[in-house]
Amino acid sequence: MAGSNEINANEAKKVVPLHTWILISNFKLAYNILRRPDGTFNRELAEFLDRKVAANTVPVDGVYSFDIVDRATSLLNRIYRCAPPDTDSGRQPGAGILELENPLSTTEIVPVIIFFHGGSFTHSSANSAIYDTFCRRLTALINGVVVSVNYRRSPEHRYPCAYEDGWEALKWVHSRSWLLSGKNPKVHVYLAGDSSGGNIAHHVAVRAAESGVEVLGNILLHPLFGGEERKESENKLDGKYFVRVQDRDWYWRAFLPEGEDRDHPACNIFGPHGIDLKGVKFPKSLVVVAGLDLVQDWQLAYVRGLEEAEQQVKLLFLKKATIGFYFLPNNEHFYTLMDEIKSFVTS
Amino acid sequence: MGPYDSSISPAAGSSNSSSSACSSSTKPPPPDQMDHLLAGAGYKVRSNDLNQVAERLQHLETVMVKSSPVDISELVNDAVYYNPTDLVSWVDSLLTELNTNVTVPEPVPVNTDLSDLHQFPSDMNVYGSNHAPEMHGEFSQQAVTPLEEDISIRLVHVLMTCAEAVQRGDLPLASLLIDDLQALLGRVNSGCGIGKVGSFFVDALSQRVVNSPQNGVVQVELSAYENEILYHHYYEACPYLKFAHFTANQAILEAFDGQDCVHVIDFNLMQGLQWPALIQALALRPGGQPLLRLTGIGPPSNDGRDSLREIGLKLAELARSVNVRFAFRGVAASRLDDVKPWMLQVSPKEAVAVNSIMQLHKLLGPGGPHGPPIDLVLDWIRDLNPRILMVVEQESNHNQPEFLDRFTESLYYYSTMFDSLDACTAQPEKSLSELYIQREICNVVCCEGSARVERHEPLVRWRGRLTSAGFAPLHLGSNAFKQARMLLTLFSAEGYSVEENEGCLTLGWHSRSLIAASAWQSIPKPSPATTGG
């Protein structure tokens, strides 16, 4: 209804700063155009519209980046590192690459976060500008390394491709000698992701636990979970803050195997086909929930599921946050989040 | 009032904030100031336009709500979009597209009191758009075994150390390191990856060390025939030249729309591989075929053949077979700045397209008595008043003054290019195409002064040059993008990527752009009569 649409626009504008409203609205409207009602996706236009950023071995604000393609899988990983304190921007550009010979540190522990970007399994890439910017901030924050994984996306590559790519990335990271740190050298790995990236992080962590591969912690930023049931938050917040339930449904249909519904265990973690994590050596989790995200009831159910399985989980509930609050550093939720992440990887 | 009032204390140090909207501030930002925050997301919006963009977005949503999803996606399939970085024009183009096809009642007046919303002063450590001159860093790793991986990393390390020694003039050390490098090369798979491209760089370095480290070497000239063979294999083995030709032809076709007499000036005719497709496209043009003149510039023959004329005859043959009136003229010149405009015989009533595929960078060398060659050439191009100047260049900075910087940049660039070649499986063509690339590498690494012609510069620098020289961009749109992507699917190798870059298109391997294509039109020079009152 025309009337309710205007109300919705006003709601969102009251709680997010102007820049954020512009950014997320632009994505919302562009994405509306890219999703076709028949379930196909206008990938050409999506790639045309996605603002991408090249890697840059010259440090900017203390962080530099480079891309590595894992030959075995053709997967691209973008690595972000902090420039050593005595490097100035004018120094030789190859400086970063030379560090592939030495561990990160032989005395200190340096956290390595494997980051899975969001986009509902369909949009964005590791080299999308919004994610490049976010990963740089993350790198500077933790004073460590961020590895952003360019996983395969739906609908061209459905479940379980993204999870497999995540798993490959985890193994790859663990096998890099130049990511070792600490007196007893090992790679200190955390998994992180926003939206679909958070979902991927969970599933990779499960596989890691089952295979005895160490993950020190999971950081899930409004992760994408769901189910057949309509939760109260979905009904209440439908269309109010940039997202509609029907959009979410489209993305699940594009990601899940054809014919499957949202109670599939990829989507509904602790649902009817869900997993029992009791007794599993699952990493501690930081789950961030935006109070204006219609998916929140599923995220809260996830947190409860972890608690019931006696896993360590901290819930960061940001009451007035909408999705994508972390893209721009222009709101208090952003800073709260950054503080939490920092203490999570240093504790 | 917004929710963040209590948290805002107009920070004393926020003098740099481009988007400060603290309630106490009354000074608007300077008119051209770009918003800092959205720049980090890849968008260019003037700070002063933010409210307008927000209003347009809201209007757009209203329009979209009234359209059915099927209508929207169908409309979008046919529409062409340009330069999504410019958020204002992107939103407007969507509005135009949707408005012309959907009857929209007057938008319901909405309380767009966006001035209520506060933003935090942007005085924090935000990654902004002030990049240091961009250095792309991609280092693709070698084959299977961890040991080989370690050796590859070591190889790169020693290459860099050796290049550093060369730059410092420490030849004894450089020679020792070259021995080390030869040893390392012996331990890696020289058939692919860093082993292959590494050997070319070791070779180039040792040539430089042995011969003339400061003055550089002069490359052995190949015969025209040899050059053509190498070029042809490079053309077949990987999509870079095809992408260049394809994208250029599209843009030229569009620029020639509605024109009856058209004249293409090709800065490097070579085997004329670009032109059959254009001739055929013009033959099929709705609205009728133009008269096509093609002027092909190329080096004078050193083997007795008149290759320019031969190619011209072949193209004329093709044009005749599809009923396109065609005239060809060859202009022999060893350097582009030897060409004088009168040689091109441009007529005022024709639409001119200037086509430069990997040629302009050769003009960036030391200048003669009349000034930098690039300025001279751009100046006479502008005098021709072309409807389009098509520029395709290698997307890398191999023209930096410091040897080490050039060496580093080219090592990554050509490693990436070789990786992309590795992925293409056509065996017989590969080794000669590699030789083509090897000569480029050698020129960048070994040569100096006027002998160093491979002076590649990235798009961002060409933009600056061309804009200063009096050219305005002609944006390549989503249709060219789509077609370029389709071209790539003809290659079995997945990994090639086309990207849109502020109205230009780039082709690269994974996330690293290797070739950039841009189109320009000349801004007519102000005539002397109009100055003064």
Side-chain angles (χ1 to χ4, degrees):
Chain A
M1 293 185 308
S4 67
N5 185 55
E6 268 76 37
I7 293 170
N8 292 339
N10 265 335
E11 287 297 320
K13 284 187 304 180
K14 282 187 193 144
V15 295
V16 299
L18 178 60
H19 289 80
T20 307
W21 191 88
I22 289 174
L23 185 66
I24 311 286
S25 298
N26 178 53
F27 286 142
K28 176 180 84 174
L29 297 178
Y31 292 179
N32 282 351
I33 291 171
L34 299 172
R35 292 188 305 268
R36 297 201 194 99
D38 64 359
T40 59
F41 185 70
N42 193 340
R43 180 62 68 190
E44 280 77 29
L45 188 56
E47 291 304 301
F48 178 78
L49 294 177
D50 190 27
R51 302 294 80 206
K52 297 190 198 292
V53 154
N56 192 352
T57 51
V58 174
V60 177
D61 292 335
V63 176
Y64 66 89
S65 62
F66 54 95
D67 292 337
I68 296 190
V69 176
D70 178 1
R71 270 172 185 268
T73 59
S74 277
L75 256 193
L76 181 112
N77 292 323
R78 176 163 289 185
I79 321 292
Y80 300 84
R81 290 189 55 169
C82 293
D86 56 358
T87 308
D88 58 66
S89 293
R91 244 198 70 185
Q92 65 188 53
I97 304 300
L98 296 180
E99 295 315 316
L100 294 187
E101 294 212 274
N102 300 311
L104 295 171
S105 168
T106 47
T107 51
E108 308 297 316
I109 290 176
V110 180
V112 175
I113 294 184
I114 301 180
F115 180 76
F116 303 102
H117 67 81
S120 307
F121 297 104
T122 303
H123 298 282
S124 296
S125 305
N127 58 345
S128 294
I130 44 168
Y131 286 111
D132 186 84
T133 299
F134 180 73
C135 285
R136 284 174 167 274
R137 293 198 178 113
L138 202 53
T139 306
L141 174 80
I142 62 168
N143 200 18
V145 173
V146 171
V147 178
S148 186
V149 181
N150 204 37
Y151 58 89
R152 287 169 294 166
R153 300 164 299 186
S154 54
E156 297 92 335
H157 300 106
R158 294 173 176 267
Y159 165 93
C161 294
Y163 300 157
E164 287 179 351
D165 292 351
W167 171 240
E168 290 299 324
L170 176 59
K171 289 191 294 182
W172 186 88
V173 164
H174 263 300
S175 63
R176 298 305 103 186
S177 59
W178 44 273
L179 288 177
L180 297 167
S181 66
K183 294 199 184 78
N184 301 316
K186 71 174 182 186
V187 184
H188 292 79
V189 177
Y190 294 82
L191 299 176
D194 67 317
S195 162
S196 51
N199 177 296
I200 296 171
H202 163 82
H203 287 283
V204 174
V206 169
R207 189 155 175 192
E210 287 166 352
S211 315
V213 173
E214 186 184 44
V215 173
L216 294 172
N218 272 6
I219 300 167
L220 309 194
L221 250 181
H222 58 59
L224 213 53
F225 299 127
E228 278 301 302
E229 184 196 342
R230 293 299 187 205
K231 298 282 202 189
E232 195 193 328
S233 64
E234 288 174 307
N235 292 325
K236 226 176 63 168
L237 297 173
D238 188 0
K240 289 233 165 63
Y241 298 98
F242 307 113
V243 187
R244 294 173 302 187
V245 171
Q246 67 186 73
D247 307 338
R248 295 271 129 258
D249 288 352
W250 189 99
Y251 291 114
W252 285 120
R253 276 195 304 274
F255 174 71
L256 296 168
E258 312 229 16
E260 294 283 354
D261 67 21
R262 290 186 303 275
D263 282 336
H264 186 281
C267 176
N268 194 348
I269 307 296
F270 295 112
H273 310 291
I275 192 178
D276 184 6
L277 284 179
K278 212 175 236 166
V280 174
K281 194 166 182 293
F282 197 72
K284 64 174 182 176
S285 298
L286 170 64
V287 181
V288 182
V289 178
L292 299 176
D293 180 2
L294 58 82
V295 179
Q296 65 186 275
D297 284 352
W298 290 108
Q299 294 153 354
L300 295 171
Y302 174 76
V303 170
R304 271 195 309 278
L306 286 180
E307 285 169 343
E308 278 161 23
E310 291 164 8
Q311 299 295 347
Q312 206 185 331
V313 55
K314 172 164 187 184
L315 167 66
L316 175 64
F317 187 83
L318 300 167
K319 189 154 167 235
K320 289 287 201 185
T322 62
I323 52 147
F325 68 87
Y326 47 85
F327 285 135
L328 301 174
N330 58 359
N331 60 87
E332 60 183 336
H333 310 302
F334 174 90
Y335 294 98
T336 309
L337 171 70
M338 289 298 151
D339 286 343
E340 286 291 337
I341 292 178
K342 181 156 188 166
S343 54
F344 188 75
V345 303
T346 50
S347 58
Chain B
M1 300 297 272
Y4 308 122
D5 291 6
S6 54
S7 331
I8 298 175
S9 44
S14 61
S15 50
N16 283 336
S17 98
S18 59
S19 51
S20 59
C22 303
S23 43
S24 56
S25 159
T26 50
K27 221 169 57 161
D32 281 338
Q33 180 143 34
M34 291 296 171
D35 182 77
H36 192 58
L37 285 177
L38 290 178
Y43 297 104
K44 288 195 171 151
V45 185
R46 276 188 283 267
S47 302
N48 290 332
D49 289 341
L50 287 172
N51 283 318
Q52 184 204 331
V53 171
E55 274 176 51
R56 306 293 272 165
L57 278 167
Q58 195 162 348
H59 184 43
L60 180 58
E61 172 154 22
T62 309
V63 170
M64 282 176 68
V65 162
K66 290 167 172 51
S67 327
S68 83
V70 175
D71 289 340
I72 293 179
S73 41
E74 268 176 22
L75 276 174
V76 159
N77 270 331
D78 297 330
V80 181
Y81 300 104
Y82 298 91
N83 194 10
T85 294
D86 181 351
L87 200 48
V88 171
S89 74
W90 155 247
V91 177
D92 280 349
S93 63
L94 270 182
L95 270 171
T96 309
E97 201 54 45
L98 289 172
N99 266 330
T100 56
N101 290 281
V102 176
T103 47
V104 182
E106 285 301 303
V108 176
V110 163
N111 180 19
T112 50
D113 197 359
L114 296 165
S115 58
D116 278 353
L117 296 171
H118 293 274
Q119 296 121 213
F120 277 53
S122 52
D123 60 345
M124 54 284 298
N125 189 21
V126 169
Y127 173 56
S129 55
N130 306 320
H131 290 233
E134 281 202 40
M135 291 290 297
H136 305 283
E138 171 161 357
F139 169 48
S140 264
Q141 288 192 292
Q142 236 279 78
V144 186
T145 72
L147 176 64
E148 270 189 317
E149 251 174 48
D150 284 344
I151 298 177
S152 326
I153 294 172
R154 183 106 203 104
L155 189 57
V156 172
H157 187 156
V158 181
L159 270 168
M160 303 283 289
T161 313
C162 184
E164 211 177 355
V166 169
Q167 169 156 296
R168 276 198 325 264
D170 187 348
L171 296 190
L173 176 58
S175 301
L176 279 176
L177 290 171
I178 286 176
D179 290 338
D180 279 353
L181 286 167
Q182 302 284 15
L184 280 171
L185 280 176
R187 297 165 63 197
V188 294
N189 179 358
S190 63
C192 63
I194 192 67
K196 169 73 67 68
V197 69
S199 66
F200 292 149
F201 276 89
V202 171
D203 210 57
L205 271 177
S206 71
Q207 273 194 57
R208 189 172 178 125
V209 165
V210 163
N211 292 311
S212 181
Q214 298 317 312
N215 300 328
V217 307
V218 175
Q219 275 182 296
V220 169
E221 227 185 78
L222 296 181
S223 73
Y225 177 69
E226 286 168 325
N227 267 325
E228 280 166 33
I229 298 279
L230 292 189
Y231 177 88
H232 196 98
H233 279 90
Y234 179 66
Y235 179 87
E236 292 294 340
C238 51
Y240 302 108
L241 284 176
K242 292 188 181 97
F243 166 80
H245 293 172
F246 190 84
T247 307
N249 284 346
Q250 270 237 284
I252 292 172
L253 257 178
E254 265 178 62
F256 281 169
D257 193 32
Q259 300 295 316
D260 291 326
C261 294
V262 302
H263 184 178
V264 175
I265 299 170
D266 187 358
F267 274 5
N268 185 29
L269 185 69
M270 259 299 180
Q271 299 168 317
L273 294 174
Q274 181 172 351
W275 305 118
L278 183 70
I279 292 171
Q280 283 168 340
L282 287 173
L284 296 172
R285 192 172 79 160
Q289 309 143 354
L291 160 63
L292 169 66
R293 283 182 60 207
L294 174 65
T295 299
I297 301 175
S301 320
N302 55 10
D303 58 2
R305 294 155 56 226
D306 187 347
S307 48
L308 286 175
R309 190 163 171 275
E310 278 175 22
I311 303 297
L313 284 173
K314 285 197 189 127
L315 291 173
E317 182 73 37
L318 170 65
R320 195 174 18 251
S321 73
V322 294
N323 287 322
V324 171
R325 291 164 297 148
F326 178 80
F328 175 83
R329 183 184 180 77
V331 173
S334 34
R335 298 163 53 95
L336 263 178
D337 45 331
D338 287 341
V339 174
K340 303 284 173 272
W342 58 261
M343 298 174 187
L344 306 173
Q345 299 201 333
V346 168
S347 137
K349 55 183 184 69
E350 30 180 47
V352 175
V354 176
N355 186 73
S356 169
I357 311 284
M358 308 331 183
Q359 299 304 306
L360 288 187
H361 62 257
K362 298 181 182 171
L363 298 169
L364 296 177
H370 306 288
I374 183 70
D375 292 341
L376 297 173
V377 173
L378 287 179
D379 197 57
W380 64 246
I381 294 176
R382 196 170 169 208
D383 282 339
L384 296 178
N385 199 19
R387 288 181 73 84
I388 180 172
L389 162 63
M390 193 68 206
V391 176
V392 182
E393 284 286 328
Q394 289 90 334
E395 180 61 4
S396 195
N397 198 343
H398 298 154
N399 195 26
Q400 294 163 85
E402 297 279 300
F403 172 74
L404 183 57
D405 295 335
R406 292 203 304 275
F407 186 85
T408 311
E409 181 95 359
S410 60
L411 180 59
Y412 295 129
Y413 180 83
Y414 289 105
S415 296
T416 309
M417 181 164 278
F418 270 91
D419 275 351
S420 77
L421 266 182
D422 274 350
C424 296
T425 50
Q427 282 300 344
E429 287 150 0
K430 255 214 287 187
S431 52
L432 287 178
S433 58
E434 285 167 6
L435 196 47
Y436 177 91
I437 301 171
Q438 188 188 9
R439 286 184 62 80
E440 252 182 47
I441 294 173
C442 211
N443 192 274
V444 174
V445 173
C446 303
C447 302
E448 291 299 340
S450 52
R452 179 155 62 88
V453 294
E454 299 298 343
R455 293 178 179 261
H456 314 142
E457 285 194 350
L459 182 57
V460 62
R461 287 184 70 101
W462 284 111
R463 275 203 186 104
R465 262 186 220 286
L466 287 162
T467 310
S468 309
F471 293 89
L474 280 173
H475 290 147
L476 303 171
S478 53
N479 52 345
F481 179 85
K482 198 157 128 178
Q483 305 221 26
R485 275 173 65 105
M486 283 197 318
L487 167 71
L488 291 183
T489 61
L490 296 175
F491 281 81
S492 54
E494 281 208 14
Y496 286 105
S497 61
V498 181
E499 282 181 19
E500 192 283 342
N501 184 328
E502 290 186 64
C504 306
L505 294 187
T506 63
L507 172 62
W509 179 248
H510 286 283
S511 59
R512 169 71 210 255
S513 296
L514 295 174
I515 301 287
S518 59
W520 303 84
Q521 59 189 341
S522 60
I523 301 170
K525 288 182 184 166
S527 71
T530 61
T531 56

